[in-house]
């Protein structure tokens, strides 16, 4: 018997007698978080890299997607625990069936911060597509019907006063496919977040013709969502995730949106994000695009319900979701501040 073994036995015995042993030893809860390789998903990457998830008792694994719809399906099936992406027709339909819930806000358009841009192919631009008012009769790229791109296209048509049907929606499934089609002139137009848009405009194949914020003010571009099972059976997990996520969002905003953390912090933030966004490019080439994508992430995951309601009404007007789906079915507003 060594002194160490004696002490170990005494401590274990005391723990059993006091009932404290089980509460002081606990494994981190494993969760899977869905993500796209966009700067807009940076809060999750920051929370992971800076240990905020770990400190909260969460063992996080990322699963990456190419579009919003598949992520919603993965949440509903239980393959993914939390997701962050735009509201899609698939997500709303799954919410109507009681499978998923929006639990917070993520990316939002804000005056004074560069947001999503409306783009035209060089071929279409040279042929007369100079402003969004010229989009009638033109083709507009989207990932899927019922995606955020589809919503933005119709909001442009509504404000410019031409029929939505006069805009030819072209579903291409993946962001990369939309980029290729725009640069080659196979589609006339698209709208996308600035970290992608500014890089495209710098090329000779693409022109900027407008800003989404002029057509969808204060647009809640992306939301945080999870399964309805999590919201009903594991509310503490939802709160824990949102708290850690919000710490990552605060660091991101301070470093790259408000520029209040200093130059060194901004450089470190870009390096962190580069592990996930444009990781196949040298840092020197990726850094400008990452900085260009720095849109506001909602503090404490606050959710713009006015914007969410407008999006839901658009989906209904296009008969892309069941007519009976309500805002309460889509959103569980218990976890964050709403406005």
């Amino acid at each position: 018997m060594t002194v160490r073994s004696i002490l170990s036995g005494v401590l274990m015995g005391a723990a059993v007698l006091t009932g404290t042993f089980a509460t002081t030893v606990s494994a981190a809860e494993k969760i899977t978080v869905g993500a796209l390789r966009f700067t807009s998903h940076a809060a999750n990457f920051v929370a992971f890299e800076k240990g905020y998830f770990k400190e909260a008792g969460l063992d996080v694994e990322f699963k990456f997607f190419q579009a919003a719809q598949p992520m919603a399906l993965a949440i509903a099936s239980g393959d993914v625990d939390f997701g962050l992406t735009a509201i899609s027709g698939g997500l709303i339909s799954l919410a109507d069936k009681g499978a998923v819930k929006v639990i917070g806000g993520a990316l939002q358009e804000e005056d004074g911060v560069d947001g999503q841009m409306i783009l035209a192919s060089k071929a279409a631009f040279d042929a007369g597509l100079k402003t969004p008012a010229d989009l009638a009769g033109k083709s507009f790229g989207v990932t899927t019907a019922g995606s955020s791109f589809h919503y933005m296209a119709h909001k442009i048509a509504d404000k410019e006063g031409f029929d939505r049907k006069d805009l030819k929606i072209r579903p291409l499934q993946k962001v990369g496919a939309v980029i290729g089609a725009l640069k080659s002139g196979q589609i006339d137009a698209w709208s996308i977040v600035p970290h992608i848009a500014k890089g495209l405009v710098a090329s000779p194949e693409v022109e900027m013709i407008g800003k989404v914020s002029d057509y969808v003010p204060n647009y809640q571009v992306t939301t945080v969502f999870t399964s309805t099972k999590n919201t009903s059976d594991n509310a503490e997990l939802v709160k824990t995730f949102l708290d850690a996520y919000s710490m990552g969002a605060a660091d991101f905003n301070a470093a790259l949106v408000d520029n209040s953390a200093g130059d060194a912090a901004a450089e470190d933030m870009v390096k962190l994000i580069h592990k996930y966004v444009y990781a196949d490019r040298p840092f020197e080439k990726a850094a400008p695009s990452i900085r260009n994508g720095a849109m506001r992430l909602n503090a404490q995951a606050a959710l713009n319900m006015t914007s969410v309601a407008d999006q839901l009404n658009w989906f209904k007007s296009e008969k892309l979701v069941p007519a009976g789906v309500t805002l309460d079915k889509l959103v569980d507003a218990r976890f964050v501040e709403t406005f």
Side-chain angles (χ1 to χ4, degrees):
M1 294 284 286
T2 65
V3 172
R4 179 177 294 178
S5 65
I6 292 170
L7 287 173
S8 177
V10 170
L11 290 171
M12 183 171 290
V16 170
L17 288 173
T18 60
T20 60
F21 187 76
T23 60
T24 57
V25 178
S26 61
E29 184 159 3
K30 292 186 176 181
I31 62 170
T32 302
V33 175
L36 276 66
R37 293 187 183 277
F38 284 6
T39 305
S40 55
H41 287 245
N44 277 324
F45 306 146
V46 175
F48 180 82
E49 293 291 335
K50 289 197 171 185
Y52 299 148
F53 285 135
K54 187 175 181 180
E55 289 169 9
L58 301 177
D59 180 4
V60 168
E61 176 184 359
F62 289 116
K63 182 176 177 62
F64 290 95
F65 294 83
Q66 296 289 334
Q69 298 265 49
M71 193 186 303
L73 290 169
I75 293 279
S77 69
D79 290 339
V80 172
D81 297 293
F82 295 92
L84 192 166
T85 192
I87 293 174
S88 65
L91 187 149
I92 295 172
S93 295
L94 290 168
D96 186 49
K97 295 174 182 177
V100 301
K101 288 282 190 182
V102 169
I103 53 171
L107 190 71
Q108 182 170 333
E109 293 280 349
E110 179 181 298
D111 290 341
V113 178
D114 286 346
Q116 297 180 96
M117 299 177 179
I118 305 166
L119 308 176
S121 71
K122 186 64 164 61
F125 184 84
D126 290 344
L129 179 53
K130 306 294 186 181
T131 73
D134 303 320
L135 279 167
K138 302 298 190 297
S139 59
F140 196 100
V142 304
T143 47
T144 56
S147 64
S148 60
F149 304 114
H150 194 172
Y151 167 75
M152 287 184 280
H154 279 186
K155 295 297 285 189
I156 294 167
D158 291 349
K159 187 164 184 178
E160 291 296 350
F162 60 84
D163 196 299
R164 293 175 179 178
K165 293 179 181 178
D166 289 339
L167 199 53
K168 301 172 184 177
I169 301 298
R170 296 284 185 264
L172 296 170
Q173 307 308 316
K174 296 181 180 181
V175 167
V178 182
I179 292 172
L182 184 71
K183 293 177 74 172
S184 63
Q186 296 176 66
I187 58 172
D188 298 316
W190 187 36
S191 60
I192 190 61
V193 288
H195 83 268
I196 293 176
K198 290 182 180 179
L200 289 172
V201 171
S203 74
E205 299 96 346
V206 177
E207 298 282 348
M208 175 182 171
I209 60 170
K211 299 186 297 182
V212 169
S213 60
D214 290 337
Y215 296 87
V216 197
N218 302 312
Y219 175 25
Q220 184 71 69
V221 183
T222 61
T223 60
V224 186
F225 61 104
T226 189
S227 66
T228 303
K229 187 175 188 301
N230 275 339
T231 62
S232 59
D233 299 347
N234 208 345
E236 281 304 314
L237 174 63
V238 176
K239 292 175 184 176
T240 299
F241 172 81
L242 285 170
D243 285 346
Y245 164 87
S246 295
M247 292 173 69
D251 285 359
F252 174 83
N253 286 336
L256 296 181
V257 180
D258 297 321
N259 300 312
S260 59
D263 292 343
E267 184 74 2
D268 289 343
M269 181 61 67
V270 175
K271 288 178 180 177
L272 185 159
I273 296 169
H274 182 233
K275 295 181 180 181
Y276 302 90
V277 181
Y278 297 128
D280 57 340
R281 299 182 187 178
F283 176 76
E284 294 73 19
K285 291 187 177 181
S289 294
I290 293 171
R291 288 178 182 273
N292 286 337
M295 291 175 66
R296 174 77 62 193
L297 299 177
N298 298 51
Q300 298 299 315
L303 181 65
N304 185 336
M305 292 287 279
T306 302
S307 178
V308 173
D310 183 70
Q311 294 176 62
L312 177 59
N313 289 334
W314 171 78
F315 280 103
K316 288 182 178 181
S317 72
E318 288 295 307
K319 297 181 172 54
L320 291 166
V321 299
V325 63
T326 63
L327 200 57
D328 287 343
K329 284 186 177 181
L330 177 60
V331 178
D332 190 329
R334 294 176 296 159
F335 301 99
V336 299
E337 178 184 350
T338 60
F339 61 100

